[in-house]
Each structure stands twice: as C-alpha cells, then as structure tokens.
Amino acid sequence: QNWTKGMSYGLHSESYLDTGPIYVRENGKLHLVKQGAGGIQNVTPKTRPFRLFSRGFSVELCMNREDDRARRQKTDHFIFTYTKEGNLRYSAKSLFSLVLAYISDNVDHIDSLIGFPEQIAEKLFSAAEARQKFTEPVTGLRALQKFTEAYGSLVLCSLCLRNRYLVISEKIEEIKSFRELTCLDLSCCKLGDEHELLEHLTKEALSSIKRLLLKDNSLSDAGLRRMTAPVRVLKKGLENLLVLDLSCNPKITDVGIGYLLSFKKLNCLDISGTGLKDVNAVMKRIQTQIGLVHSKVPLKEFDHSNCKTEGWAEQTVLQWEQAIMEALKPQDNLRSSTATLRFYGKTHRLEEVVKCKLVEAETKASGNLQFYKEKVQNCHLPLKKEVAGSHEFKNNKKRPLAEQERERTSKQKHLCLTVEDWDLLNTY
C-alpha cells in the first residue's frame, strides 16, 4: 500500500494537474489510476481508430536544401493521385523515369549518343525538350549537336523557316548543326549573297537536300555562282537537288541561270520574278541541257504547303521562335512615342517586313516561269536509247584515234574553270 499512497500523493500534487490517465500493469492486467478518486480500477482501454498521421500533418519533399532554386526545378520522386473516395494516394515513380529525368537535366554533359537505341533517345530528347534545355545559349547547342551527330534526319528531316529571319539570325549555329535535311524552306528571309547559312548549304552535311526554297532572298548571280561551285567543280554539295525555287530574286540574270545547269537531277525549277533579259533563250537552254519543260500552269511543288518542320526537334524550333518574340515584347511600349513622332514628321515611317503575298502578286503580274521534267510515257524508249548507244559505241571503235582525241579535247574546253571558280575552290 505504500506505493498506492505515494502514487495518490503524486496524483493530487499540482505538478500532475495537466497529465493524462496513467496505466499500471500488475499480474498481467492493466489498471487505470484515476486522478480524482486516487484508487485503482480495472479498466479495459478503449481502442482508438488507427491514424498514421494527425489531421494537420503535411509533407514536403526536398531534393536539395542548399540550393533552393535547384530544388524548385527538380521534380518529386512520387506521383500523387486521388482515390474514388477522395483520399490522397501516392506512388513512387519508376526507375526508368527517374533516370530519364536526371539525364535530361544534365543532357549537355553527354559524351556521345552514337549506338544508343533510337526509341530511348527519342524519349530522352522529348524530356530535355520539355525542360527547354535546347533553348539555352551554350549548353543547348552542345546537347543538340550530340543528338544530330547520332541520329541525323530523325532529329529533323524537314525545316521550314519561311519569313523567320530572326530565328535564323539568333539560332544560326543550332540550324547549322542539323544534318541530313531533305527539305529546307528559307523563303522571304532576305538573306543576300554573303549570308553564312547560304555558304553552309554547300557543305557535305547538307548534300542530302532534295527540296530547296530560296524565294525572295535578294540573291544575285554572284550568290548562285558561290552556291553551285561545289557541284560544278567538285561534283559535291547540292548534287541531289530535285526541287529549286529562286523566284522573286530580280538580281538573277541570264548569267546566273547558266550556273544552275549543273544540277542534272533537277525535276522542278521556279525562276519567276527574276531579271532575265532573253527569256526564250534561257528556256531553250534549260530544256536542252537539263531536260526541263516550261509549265503553263503553276506547279504544286512551289505552293509552300508541302514544306513543314518535321522531326523530333519540331517543338524546339517553336520554342526558339517564342523565346525571341518574348524578348521583343518590351519594345511594344515604344509604339505610342514613335507614332507621335511620325505624326509630327520627326521620323520616317518604318516599312513593315515585306510579306510573301505581295511578292507573289508581283510575280504573277510579271509572268510564270516554272519548269518541270516530263516523264517518259513509252516504256520502250529507254531500251531504244540503249540500243542506239551500243551502235554508237561500235561506230566509235571504227573511228580513227585522232578524231576521238579531238572530241576529248573539245569536251575539256567546256569544263575549263574560270579564275573566279578557282578562287571559290580555294575557299573549300
């Protein structure tokens, strides 16, 4: 009983006024000591519903406490959903998604992707694209080059930069990193003869281009001479070109059209709106040397509806354009002041960017100069040509060697290079 007196004394003391019920286990039984009575009573404790966390409990997942900005950018490792009853349920993300997120955050540190599976690489590219990794100035270019080196046309097979000169000027290095493009639309960009991108067209990285649209780019004969030099001299560059649009370039004359005759595989050509002097002579040269016939109706190959940006980096190009437009937004606040100055004649009215629709209207007024290659309908015609060629070969055997040598020297005269061509050769 001494222990009960001591306990009752402790229970009645002021220090235990705020304490809860006290349980004592004796002989395998649990006893509840009540504070008011000071006695012991056998009580079976009431079972409470099991609750892991209290009602006001909250969880915060912190990846990196030291760098709050980095912690904010990282995603949680859990997926939070709700059940039908409205209860919060969370499940851990898969190891693949966690690794994919980590690599996409550090995609610029990848050494090489050559030999890596294309299916996984596409998901990695999409994850990095969602984090806008390719819009960063230095690291974005380095990461994009790793993908283009390994996958080429899968990253981008067709690129449409029609009337997007700002994108070209801001992302010229990124655009040059694309390899194995088959279609490139640079219409209405006013690039000129000396632009860096036009020089890049002559590189072997873009020898796969089959469709090239250079409408309204302020090109002249000098630009065409530079662009066609690798094909005319080295038989490299744009030798696989099938469709070429050079319309609305009034500085291109009859001399510049002569440089295009080296594109032997060309199927469609548009030179409407150029500065030709003798149109009939040019049409005859095009028909006799590369086999293109003048079209009386506009061709669908030049309506610009077939050229679209296609590939993994389709959204990346849109992100570039959106970022550039966002950077130009602060200049809109100056419109009111410039409008006032225009009203009082203080400044000249700035001309807006020339739209391709106005240029197209001028082209229709000047005439349509589109050419296409006719398909051989008679299937026996190539066979007859081969037979005729065999007869010519037999006749050549009968010719004296002096005549054959004379023909060979005459052909070499046509292939003689000018001083300008040799200067261009030295630059490659």
Side-chain angles (χ1 to χ4, degrees):
Q1 294 180 354
N2 292 331
W3 64 272
T4 55
K5 290 181 180 180
M7 184 173 290
S8 62
Y9 175 76
L11 290 175
H12 288 285
S13 63
E14 296 180 358
S15 61
Y16 286 90
L17 292 177
D18 297 333
T19 60
I22 300 175
Y23 295 91
V24 178
R25 182 177 296 278
E26 183 180 5
N27 296 328
K29 294 183 179 180
L30 190 64
H31 303 276
L32 172 63
V33 181
K34 292 186 177 181
Q35 297 180 7
I40 303 174
Q41 184 179 359
N42 295 335
V43 178
T44 303
K46 297 181 179 179
T47 58
R48 295 183 179 181
F50 177 75
R51 185 185 296 273
L52 184 59
F53 303 109
S54 61
R55 293 184 177 180
F57 183 80
S58 62
V59 179
E60 181 182 4
L61 296 176
C62 302
M63 303 298 297
N64 190 354
R65 274 292 186 182
E66 297 178 358
D67 190 359
D68 186 63
R69 183 179 178 183
R71 178 177 61 85
R72 209 178 298 116
Q73 291 178 353
K74 291 182 180 294
T75 56
D76 297 338
H77 288 185
F78 298 93
I79 302 174
F80 293 91
T81 56
Y82 286 92
T83 60
K84 295 181 179 179
E85 293 79 10
N87 298 325
L88 183 64
R89 179 178 61 187
Y90 67 94
S91 58
K93 291 184 178 180
S94 63
L95 181 60
F96 175 78
S97 60
L98 295 179
V99 174
L100 193 68
Y102 178 78
I103 298 177
S104 59
D105 286 333
N106 302 276
V107 68
D108 55 301
H109 297 291
I110 296 176
D111 292 334
S112 177
L113 287 170
I114 298 176
F116 198 69
E118 298 173 359
Q119 296 82 357
I120 308 300
E122 184 178 1
K123 294 182 180 180
L124 180 60
F125 189 93
S126 301
E129 188 179 56
R131 290 164 169 78
Q132 296 188 354
K133 285 293 182 178
F134 301 114
T135 58
E136 299 176 1
V138 180
T139 58
L141 174 60
R142 186 163 56 244
L144 188 62
Q145 288 175 347
K146 300 299 179 182
F147 282 94
T148 54
E149 289 174 0
Y151 305 103
S153 60
L154 291 177
V155 178
L156 211 62
C157 62
S158 177
L159 178 58
C160 180
L161 296 174
R162 178 184 172 93
N163 205 10
R164 295 180 181 178
Y165 179 76
L166 291 177
V167 178
I168 297 176
S169 59
E170 293 293 331
K171 299 293 181 181
I172 181 65
E173 295 299 329
E174 285 81 355
I175 294 172
K176 288 168 62 176
S177 66
F178 292 123
R179 302 188 177 192
E180 300 180 13
L181 287 174
T182 57
C183 180
L184 180 60
D185 189 353
L186 300 174
S187 303
C188 305
C189 289
K190 304 290 185 180
L191 298 181
D193 295 331
E194 304 295 332
H195 199 275
E196 185 179 356
L197 186 56
L198 290 178
E199 183 181 356
H200 181 66
L201 291 176
T202 61
K203 306 297 181 183
E204 292 186 7
L206 293 182
S207 61
S208 59
I209 288 184
K210 297 181 179 179
R211 181 182 175 90
L212 180 60
L213 306 179
L214 296 173
K215 180 179 182 178
D216 190 18
N217 270 286
S218 304
L219 296 176
S220 66
D221 296 340
L224 293 185
R225 180 172 59 85
R226 292 173 58 89
M227 191 175 67
T228 59
V231 180
R232 292 185 290 111
V233 179
L234 303 176
K235 304 300 179 183
K236 295 181 180 180
L238 298 173
E239 71 272 11
N240 295 318
L241 197 61
L242 299 178
V243 179
L244 178 61
D245 186 2
L246 293 173
S247 60
C248 305
N249 291 290
K251 295 183 181 180
I252 297 178
T253 63
D254 305 25
V255 179
I257 300 300
Y259 298 130
L260 303 178
L261 302 178
S262 57
F263 295 133
K264 301 300 181 182
K265 297 182 180 180
L266 206 61
N267 290 335
C268 297
L269 175 64
D270 190 358
I271 53 175
S272 306
T274 54
L276 301 181
K277 296 179 181 179
D278 193 348
V279 178
N280 294 327
V282 171
M283 292 172 58
K284 188 175 181 179
R285 290 183 65 188
I286 293 175
Q287 183 174 0
T288 55
Q289 297 193 27
I290 55 178
L292 297 183
V293 183
H294 178 249
S295 177
K296 297 181 181 180
V297 296
L299 300 176
K300 64 179 181 179
E301 283 80 6
F302 301 107
D303 60 358
H304 296 269
S305 62
N306 297 327
C307 186
K308 300 177 182 179
T309 303
E310 297 178 354
W312 297 351
E314 179 180 353
Q315 295 298 323
T316 302
V317 178
L318 295 178
Q319 289 178 358
W320 293 345
E321 188 176 9
Q322 291 175 359
I324 293 172
M325 293 304 172
E326 289 292 332
L328 295 178
K329 273 188 177 180
Q331 297 181 2
D332 295 341
N333 299 329
L334 302 177
R335 289 183 179 178
S336 58
S337 60
T338 53
T340 306
L341 294 175
R342 287 175 187 171
F343 178 79
Y344 290 104
K346 298 295 182 180
T347 58
H348 297 286
R349 182 177 296 273
L350 297 176
E351 297 294 335
E352 300 293 335
V353 179
V354 180
K355 299 297 182 182
C356 291
K357 293 182 179 179
L358 300 177
V359 181
E360 289 173 359
E362 296 177 358
T363 304
K364 291 180 180 179
S366 61
N368 181 34
L369 288 177
Q370 295 181 354
F371 300 85
Y372 68 99
K373 184 170 291 185
E374 289 183 331
K375 296 181 179 179
V376 180
Q377 297 180 356
N378 190 359
C379 60
H380 299 287
L381 186 60
L383 182 61
K384 292 180 180 180
K385 287 184 178 180
E386 291 178 1
V387 173
S390 62
H391 287 297
E392 290 179 1
F393 179 73
K394 292 179 180 178
N395 294 330
N396 287 334
K397 285 185 176 180
K398 297 178 181 179
R399 291 181 186 177
L401 295 175
E403 293 183 4
Q404 295 183 12
E405 186 67 23
R406 196 179 302 113
E407 288 184 1
R408 192 180 300 109
T409 53
S410 63
K411 290 181 180 179
Q412 289 179 356
K413 289 182 180 179
H414 294 288
L415 295 176
C416 289
L417 304 178
T418 62
V419 178
E420 296 176 347
D421 290 338
W422 281 112
D423 294 338
L424 283 175
L425 251 178
N426 294 329
T427 60
Y428 291 99

